[in-house]
């Protein structure tokens, strides 16, 4: 293997060797290398295959815009597909594999596609694969899907961690080249909080490889001086390895810091990457400019690269792209590469300059003015070039420079379009206001002195801009050359997607003339580099094909993300079980002690059932129901929303919130309330109690607790601010438990202080503030969801476990059982109480059989809209009971209701089963259903049709109250 | 020129120099019988069916940008007919049937691919709701399967079954659901309509609607006045703005919905899957990118871009569902403007103004509806009466109280 | 997007819940003759492209209902006041 490591120079540590593997082959490199530079130093140029034709490809660039050298990095759950070899910092033990090739990178069967490439032009797939019809899904598409895509993603969980961070600053500087450093220095010296971020592993931008002097020293040394000063200032944060990927409303920037992508694995407790949201008073875009390829035959053969990239590999990494170079340029900057390579001892065969009148030169190198490369010889490496007009030059690499595109992306992400600058032949950023300004070459300034001055001006927050160091500018002149028309062989515009110079005129001929249509039709600009290299060339070729100017064609939309961002970075720590917080009730410990099985209910974990040894959920819940109805049971109902409402107008306020009346509620009484939305549909229900003249406590359903709170706040602050009322959610402040069953009173008696419990002291629907267990404040409500003689007891949250344990002790002699939401749900279906299955946001009070609750004497939310024709239509579905005719049959929630004899069809559909339960009291499955005109159909036998699960049983529409219809138990 | 493998071969031999344009770029005429505002999926489909099914000729589609530049070009490409309510279900199923024959019908490969749509559930209540919906589909002859957790794991073994905050309990699967290459739908309809004589006029922005004595006379545009006998509005996210030109205030808010695509990957996920414990759904394009989305940003917007909190919210849900997504990179995000209606269902109707027809309120469900929407809107315009399948999508349903509220959220557009 | 809450200062958008169009006012009358007003209040929305006053709750902060004035195209926020102040001013402005 020949080494292409130059004898000296570069920012690599030659004293230390790093071992790495590419496609199983072992290589060495140095700290400071990228995977790409290390491979180049080892003479490896073939690093990837293209998307459509599987053409052999090497690096084009030396940075984030790389479209070709994409590899799979790392193994197992840490595997990353499509990682740009040009930005992977080399570490010891690195393992990477090429992708989108089979069986090997060197010999790829997919390259056969090239044979048919004359047919596989832009959009060919829209015109074929349609016959026979069934072949698309069975044959064509599976083949296409398998051939498409780039790398292979892991199916294992990511072993690494991610963080999220927020930062505020007065000045965010994006990019740390000469412009960025000056801007950061100016901002820092004017006292602002400064963040300087750069996607590179080392700060310095172009100063890491360009050879100009600044202030009489090498540009690199000048940068070190500035960075040392910035690093010493407490108001400055330096963020290398940090890509600002997006600009959002409010001058909010999104960024990703690659904290540990440069090591084999993150150290313990450190994240792989950190996501930043940066809120910037001002920001300067100093992202520099991107060199453009030229579109000519064979411009994708490994060894053809951007002229600036060749300089980066030589000057920064000490790696020669080849032993002989031809430079192909339409502007002066290509000559730098010729001079630099010459200085490194690389043979520069010629500079081919498309400009007949070019003035630039590169020492002894022959300059062929007015000439162009028409074809590149070679397959997996360059052997030579052929110029328009026929000259052949043997060479090992080609350095191309088609000019420079200011990196305008971030400035255009909020919709403003860049403008064409004919002087520099590039799109420059739009004016997007004073808080985000582009500077330096990102703003189209092509001279170093301009960049330094622009950075100093735009970075200054107040006072005078700092003095700008002196430097010697290299001239910049350019003439348009986009596409060598004499090209032989494929000339690529978008490398990764294999869009060629012929595709765009074809798109235009077929009517896809708008740049956005042409992009979609040819896929130029849609690859992982998002057209960073190819878009301007595509625009130019389309402009030529359609007789329009660059401005008339314009660019496609610039969108986030500047470079692709890992899902993990956005997700941060909110993964796996930490996806959402867990809410535990104040009785969680008590329930856990008793073996509760918990179930996710929104964010809550609710005790669902309390199995004994060997019991399944149904056996457990059935036992809990029987024990409760036979003696006493205790259930955690703390998740119900609780809103404390106080004030002189509290009663009036509640009258407007509920469809029924609360201002008339007696002191110490509870009442069931029904709340509508303004559109007349039922919103929520619950009991609200009056503890004092001006003090109510509202309860809401668990599901709607937050929504009802916001609704209450809206009703007061927006609708009726004149009412004297205050409110606060106390859901978390109170533990609440239901105590139900014939022995509930006897149990409760043992823990209340100085109160003789009776129907007189605590009648049905009483609400009382009491103390228990020798002074613990409590609220006692005689309400029942189970249909039993029952209470709900609320105590301050911290007492919850203690009180629940005390009740269990007190009830031991009556065989008290804890019961969970399963048993609760069974008992409510037995009693025909509606819950989530029925309160689904589409039912009216009348649908629930609660029309009589709607007061006609007052204004309340929902009153007017509830009277609309469609809401009082007799054919509406309303809540009824449903039970199988044969007690052995099972009905399931979600089954639909049909008339006997009707075939299943939408027009015959009568409704559906909304809730079911196995009733241990009735020894059968029972349910609630919403059935068209249901209340008029009690006793009708219907089909309970469940085609989804393959059952179809006869059911009887019945009263929703399945058990103890006379409510004897409630008052027992 | 008919597209086929033969025409492709023939043109290959002639160096692809002889392909005819897929559509003309005509100058607007001064008068048409029918003008459709909006050269997106719905507008183009409407024009196509007006010409093809109703034999009407003198039609123009006016598009203020490039054709297909609205939501047809920026959606997440999903088709399905897994609706709950009777007002919706037959309409979307009809749309599915049109999808199934669309490519042969308009002679354009739109890559209709029925690889299945799976909605995951994470609680008993969700499963019950799926059972109701699945049976509602079955009862109308639509395919639906209720899966348990085991079935889901068989299909997608790499979802989180170990450490999930909200364990996957099962799902509702519609195997006939899938994806379609969205741009190609616009192009196929445009080419088909153009071939039948419809003038598709790009870069033509409507600036006013002329009405006299309760009757539409035409539209003012940046390219002059265009008279018409009938005017159909299919302006999606811009519906309120366009309708306001006719003095109409709509039960609609415009909201931005972001969508995303990852870098291209070898086959990773076969069908469409929606997470039930957060806002995330995903499918993989034929090109290899994972196409995904979540919820609307939540505020009124005409900007086709969103903000970071929703990006984080959506991606968090994605990784919660599929932990291995963590190392996959998101390539691009964008936004579309959703015409969010007050009950989450669309409007296809004539208005109280003679000759003015409205197609709007598609929320984020407009793409899958494209063929049926075009079909029914064309019928409504041609016959001056609603089509049987869109009879529930009347504009007066809000006034009368016949909302079609799949989510049960009421008159709060950003919750649908 | 950032929103300047009068109580909490400038806060990120995810702390806020948007309800929309603040130009609609709840009718005072329950008279059936006012049905059309009710219908407009509940269902019709001004939905302009451009400057827009909207109800927003600082649900992840002080929980105040606010009215913010914002451009729905550029997302620029022009101001933010308490909803009750906004409505008091609006009522005061009417004869």
């Amino acid at each position: 293997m020949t080494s292409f490591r130059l004898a000296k120079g570069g920012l690599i540590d030659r004293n230390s060797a790093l071992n790495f593997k590419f496609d199983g082959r072992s290589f060495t490199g140095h700290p400071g290398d990228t995977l790409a530079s290390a491979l180049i130093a080892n003479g490896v140029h073939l690093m990837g295959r293209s998307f459509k034709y599987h053409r052999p490809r090497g690096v084009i660039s030396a940075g984030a815009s790389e479209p070709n050298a994409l590899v799979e990095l790392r193994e197992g759950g840490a595997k990353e597909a499509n990682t740009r070899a040009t930005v992977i910092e080399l570490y010891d033990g690195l393992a990477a594999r090429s992708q989108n090739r089979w069986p090997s990178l060197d010999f790829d069967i997919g390259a056969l596609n090239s044979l048919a490439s004359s047919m596989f032009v832009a959009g060919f797939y829209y015109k074929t694969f349609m016959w026979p019809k069934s072949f698309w899904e069975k044959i064509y598409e599976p083949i296409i899907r398998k051939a498409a895509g780039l790398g292979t993603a892991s199916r294992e969980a990511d072993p690494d961690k991610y963080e999220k961070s927020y930062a505020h600053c007065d000045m965010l500087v994006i990019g740390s080249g000469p412009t960025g450093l000056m801007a950061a220095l100016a901002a820092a010296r004017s006292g602002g909080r400064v963040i300087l971020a750069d996607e590179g592993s080392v700060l310095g931008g172009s100063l890491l490889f360009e050879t100009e002097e600044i202030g009489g020293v090498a540009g690199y040394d000048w940068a070190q001086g500035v960075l040392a000063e910035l690093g010493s200032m407490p108001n400055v944060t330096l963020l290398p390895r940090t890509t600002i990927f997006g600009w959002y409303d409010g001058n909010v920037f999104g960024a990703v810091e690659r904290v540990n992508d440069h090591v084999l694995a993150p150290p313990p407790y450190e994240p792989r990457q950190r996501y930043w949201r940066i809120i910037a008073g001002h920001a300067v875009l100093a992202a520099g400019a991107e060199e453009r390829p030229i579109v000519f035959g064979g411009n994708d053969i490994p060894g053809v690269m951007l002229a600036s990239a060749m300089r980066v590999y030589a000057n920064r990494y000490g790696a020669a792209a080849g032993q002989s170079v031809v430079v192909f340029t339409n502007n002066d900057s290509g000559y730098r590469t010729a001079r630099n390579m010459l200085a490194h001892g690389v043979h520069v065969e010629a500079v081919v300059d498309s400009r007949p009148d070019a003035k630039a030169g590169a020492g002894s190198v022959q300059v062929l003015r007015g000439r162009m490369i028409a074809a590149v010889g070679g397959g997996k490496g360059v052997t030579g070039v052929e110029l328009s007009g026929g000259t052949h030059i043997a060479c090992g690499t080609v350095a191309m420079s088609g000019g420079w595109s200011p990196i305008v992306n971030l400035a255009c992400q909020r919709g403003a379009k860049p403008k064409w600058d004919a002087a520099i032949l590039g799109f420059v950023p739009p004016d997007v206001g004073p808080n985000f300004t582009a500077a330096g070459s990102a703003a189209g300034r092509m001279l170093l002195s301009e960049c330094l001055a622009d950075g100093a001006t735009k970075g200054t927050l107040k006072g005078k801009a700092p003095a700008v160091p002196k430097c010697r500018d290299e001239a910049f002149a350019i003439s348009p050359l986009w596409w060598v028309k004499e090209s032989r062989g494929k000339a690529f515009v978008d490398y990764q997607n294999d869009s060629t110079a012929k595709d765009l005129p074809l798109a235009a001929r077929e009517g896809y003339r708008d740049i956005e249509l042409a992009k979609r039709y040819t896929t130029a600009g849609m690859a992982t580099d998002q057209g960073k290299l190819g878009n301007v060339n595509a625009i130019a070729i389309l402009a030529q094909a359609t007789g329009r100017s660059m401005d008339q064609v314009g660019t496609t939309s610039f969108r986030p993300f500047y470079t692709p961002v890992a899902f993990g970075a956005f997700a941060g720590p909110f993964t796996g079980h930490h996806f959402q917080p867990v809410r535990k009730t104040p009785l969680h410990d008590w329930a856990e002690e008793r073996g509760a099985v918990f179930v996710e209910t929104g964010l809550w974990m609710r005790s669902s059932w309390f199995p004994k040894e060997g019991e399944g959920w149904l056996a457990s819940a059935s036992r809990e129901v029987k024990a409760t109805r036979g003696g006493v049971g205790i259930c955690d109902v703390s998740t119900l929303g609780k809103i404390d409402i106080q004030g002189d107008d509290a009663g009036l306020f509640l009258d407007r919130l509920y469809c029924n009346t609360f201002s008339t509620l007696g002191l110490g009484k509870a009442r069931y309330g029904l709340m509508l939305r303004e559109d007349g549909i039922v919103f929520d229900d619950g009991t609200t109690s009056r503890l004092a003249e001006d003090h109510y406590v509202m309860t809401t359903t668990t599901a709607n607790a937050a929504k009802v709170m916001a609704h209450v706040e809206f009703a007061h602050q927006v609708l009726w601010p004149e009412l004297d009322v205050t409110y606060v959610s106390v859901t978390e402040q109170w533990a609440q438990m239901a105590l139900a069953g014939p022995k509930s009173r006897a149990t409760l008696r043992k823990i209340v202080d100085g109160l003789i419990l009776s129907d007189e002291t605590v009648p049905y629907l009483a609400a009382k503030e009491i103390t228990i267990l020798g002074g613990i404040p409590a609220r006692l409500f005689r309400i029942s969801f189970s249909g039993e003689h029952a209470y709900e007891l609320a105590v301050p949250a911290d007492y919850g476990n203690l009180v629940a344990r005390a009740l269990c002790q007190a009830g031991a002699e009556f065989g008290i059982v804890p019961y969970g939401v399963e048993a609760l749900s069974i008992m409510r279906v037995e009693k025909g109480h509606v819950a989530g299955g029925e309160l689904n946001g589409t039912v009216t009070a009348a649908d629930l059989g609660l029309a009589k609750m709607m007061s006609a004497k007052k204004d309340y939310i929902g009153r007017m809209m509830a009277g609309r024709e469609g809401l009082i239509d007799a054919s509406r579905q309303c809540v009824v009971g449903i039970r199988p005719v044969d007690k052995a049959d099972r009905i399931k929630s979600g089954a639909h209701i049909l008339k006997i004899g009707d075939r299943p069809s939408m027009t015959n559909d009568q409704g559906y089963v909304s809730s079911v339960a196995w009733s241990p009291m009735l020894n059968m499955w029972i349910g609630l259903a919403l059935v068209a005109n249901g209340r008029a159909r009690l006793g009708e036998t219907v089909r309970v049709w469940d085609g989804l699960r393959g059952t179809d049983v006869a059911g009887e529409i019945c009263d929703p109250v399945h058990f103890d219809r006379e409510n004897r138990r409630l008052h027992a | 020129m008919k597209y086929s493998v033969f025409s492709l071969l023939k043109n290959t031999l002639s160096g692809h120099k002889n392909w005819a344009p897929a559509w003309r770029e005509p100058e607007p005429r001064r008068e048409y019988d029918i003008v459709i505002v909006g050269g997106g999926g719905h507008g183009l489909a409407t024009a196509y069916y007006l010409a093809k099914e109703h034999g009407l000729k003198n039609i123009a589609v006016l598009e203020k940008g490039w054709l297909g530049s609205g939501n047809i070009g920026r959606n997440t490409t999903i088709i399905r007919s897994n609706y709950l309510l009777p007002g919706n279900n037959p309409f979307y199923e009809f749309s599915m049937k049109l999808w199934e024959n669309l490519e042969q019908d308009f002679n354009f490969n739109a890559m209709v691919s029925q690889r299945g749509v799976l909605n995951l559930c994470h609680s008993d209540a969700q499963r019950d709701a799926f059972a109701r919906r699945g049976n509602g589909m079955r009862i109308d002859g639509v395919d639906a399967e209720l899966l348990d957790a085991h079935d889901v794991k068989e299909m997608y073994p790499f979802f989180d079954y170990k450490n999930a905050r909200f364990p996957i309990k099962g799902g509702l699967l519609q195997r006939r659901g899938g994806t379609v290459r969205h741009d190609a739908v616009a192009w196929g309809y445009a080419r088909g309509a153009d071939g039948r004589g419809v003038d598709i006029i790009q870069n033509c922005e409507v600036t006013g609607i002329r009405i006299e004595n309760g009757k539409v006379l035409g539209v003012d545009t940046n390219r002059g006045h265009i008279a018409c006998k009938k005017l159909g509005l299919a302006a999606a996210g811009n519906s309120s703005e366009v309708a306001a030109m006719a003095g109409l205030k709509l039960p609609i808010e415009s909201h931005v919905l972001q969508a995303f695509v990852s870098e291209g990957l070898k086959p990773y996920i076969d069908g469409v899957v929606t997470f039930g414990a957060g806002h995330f759904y995903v499918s993989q394009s034929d090109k290899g990118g994972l196409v995904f989305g979540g919820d609307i940003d939540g505020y009124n917007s005409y900007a086709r871009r969103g903000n970071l909190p929703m990006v984080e919210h959506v991606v968090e849900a994605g990784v919660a569902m599929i932990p291995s997504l963590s190392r996959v990179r998101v390539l691009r995000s964008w936004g579309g403007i959703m015409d969010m209606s007050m009950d989450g269902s669309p409007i296809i109707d004539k208005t109280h103004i003679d000759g003015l027809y409205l197609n709007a309120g598609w929320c984020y469900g407009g793409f899958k509806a494209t063929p049926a929407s075009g079909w029914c809107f064309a019928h409504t315009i041609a016959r001056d009466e609603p089509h049987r399948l869109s009879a529930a999508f009347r504009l007066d349903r809000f006034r009368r109280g016949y909302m079609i509220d799949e989510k049960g959220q009421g008159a709060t557009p950003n919750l649908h | 997007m950032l929103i300047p809450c009068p109580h909490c200062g400038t806060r990120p958008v995810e702390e806020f819940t948007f309800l929309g169009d603040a130009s609609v006012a709840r009718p005072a009358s329950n008279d059936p003759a006012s049905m059309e007003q009710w219908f407009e209040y509940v269902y019709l929305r001004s939905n302009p492209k451009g400057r827009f006053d909207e109800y927003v709750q600082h649900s992840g902060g002080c929980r105040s209902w606010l009215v913010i004035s914002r451009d729905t195209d550029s997302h620029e926020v022009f101001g933010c006041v308490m909803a009750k102040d906004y409505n008091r001013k609006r009522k005061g402005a009417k004869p």
Side-chain angles (χ1 to χ4, degrees), chain A residues 21 44 93 112 221 260 263 271 306 373 491 516 601 609 650 717 720 731 898 930:
Chain A
K21 283 186 174 178
V44 176
L112 288 173
D221 293 329
N260 280 303
V263 291
L306 293 168
I373 297 179
E516 294 281 4
T601 310
W609 68 90
Q717 296 176 34
W720 303 297
T731 304
L898 293 163
L930 279 144

Side-chain angles (χ1 to χ4, degrees), chain A residues 12 358 385 468:
Chain A
I12 50 169
V385 297
V468 178

Side-chain angles (χ1 to χ4, degrees), chain A residues 403-419:
Chain A
W404 294 84
S405 299
I407 299 178
V408 302
N409 302 50
L410 288 170
C412 301
Q413 282 181 356
R414 290 174 66 209
K417 292 277 187 183
K419 293 177 175 49

Side-chain angles (χ1 to χ4, degrees), chain C:
Chain C
M1 195 191 299
L2 304 173
I3 292 169
C5 172
H7 293 140
C8 311
T10 298
R11 305 295 306 165
V13 66
E14 71 261 45
E15 290 185 3
F16 298 82
T17 307
F18 289 71
L19 190 70
D21 193 1
S23 72
V24 288
R26 191 174 187 272
S29 167
N30 282 327
D31 188 321
S34 65
M35 263 314 269
E36 194 57 26
Q37 282 164 266
W38 278 97
F39 163 69
E40 287 180 18
Y41 167 65
V42 176
Y43 286 107
L44 299 189
R45 294 289 177 266
S46 75
N47 181 27
K49 182 176 187 168
R51 195 166 175 143
F52 179 56
D53 290 355
E54 62 195 332
Y55 286 124
V56 171
Q57 186 182 24
H58 194 186
S59 44
C62 61
R63 297 199 62 83
S64 294
W65 276 95
L66 310 166
V67 172
I68 70 172
S69 185
R70 186 176 59 91
D71 189 303
T72 58
D73 198 24
S74 70
H75 293 168
E76 186 182 352
V77 179
F78 303 106
C80 178
V81 297
M82 297 288 291
K84 58 184 173 196
D85 295 338
Y86 177 91
N87 284 328
R88 191 180 300 137
K89 206 169 153 193
R90 179 164 62 181
K91 275 179 199 159
K94 282 182 188 164

Side-chain angles (χ1 to χ4, degrees), chain A residues 80-275:
Chain A
E80 295 161 51
N82 307 331
T83 307
R84 289 151 289 166
T86 49
V87 300
I88 299 168
E89 295 177 53
L90 199 68
Y91 53 84
D92 201 45
L94 181 149
R97 290 162 308 281
S98 59
Q99 54 187 35
N100 197 37
R101 83 286 184 273
W102 185 86
S104 73
L105 183 60
D106 202 43
F107 180 75
D108 180 7
I109 294 281
L112 288 173
N113 281 359
S114 278
L115 297 179
S117 64
S118 58
M119 196 157 106
F120 293 176
V121 293
F124 78 97
Y125 32 77
Y126 298 120
K127 296 167 179 159
T128 182
F129 300 133
M130 287 180 273
W131 302 271
K133 192 176 145 188
S134 64
F135 273 33
W136 172 250
E137 277 172 27
K138 293 205 179 76
I139 296 180
Y140 305 135
E141 191 188 40
I143 293 171
I144 290 170
R145 285 177 80 83
K146 219 173 144 216
L150 299 163
T152 307
S154 175
R155 293 259 173 80
E156 293 170 44
D158 187 346
D160 293 337
K161 304 284 176 233
Y162 299 81
E163 283 182 3
K164 294 195 188 193
S165 213
Y166 297 78
H168 295 254
C169 63
D170 301 306
M171 173 64 78
L172 169 67
V173 178
I174 302 161
S176 64
T179 311
L181 288 177
M182 273 315 294
L185 195 64
R189 285 186 185 165
S190 53
R193 292 169 302 164
V194 177
I195 293 175
L196 173 61
D198 192 294
E199 64 183 355
S201 56
V202 180
L203 297 179
S206 62
L207 299 175
L208 299 173
F209 68 94
E210 298 289 28
T211 51
E212 295 125 307
E213 290 190 348
I214 299 176
V217 298
Y220 177 76
D221 293 329
W222 175 80
Q224 296 315 302
V226 174
L227 286 166
E229 179 177 346
L230 291 172
S232 71
M233 298 169 86
N235 55 330
V236 176
T237 304
L238 301 177
L239 290 176
R241 299 191 173 105
T242 303
T243 304
I244 308 290
F245 62 72
W247 178 46
Y248 295 90
D249 297 324
N251 235 27
V252 176
F253 292 82
V256 171
E257 181 185 2
R258 288 172 294 280
V259 185
N260 280 303
D261 272 350
H262 60 294
V263 291
L264 188 57
Y269 310 111
E270 281 196 29
R272 175 191 170 216
Q273 296 183 344
R274 183 178 292 123
Y275 163 89

Side-chain angles (χ1 to χ4, degrees), chain B residues 41-43 45-47 49-50 91 348 359 369-379:
Chain B
H42 290 225
T46 302
Y49 291 120
L50 278 169
F91 173 86
I348 300 178
N359 174 320
T370 305
S373 168
W375 185 285
C376 293
F377 197 38
H379 177 103

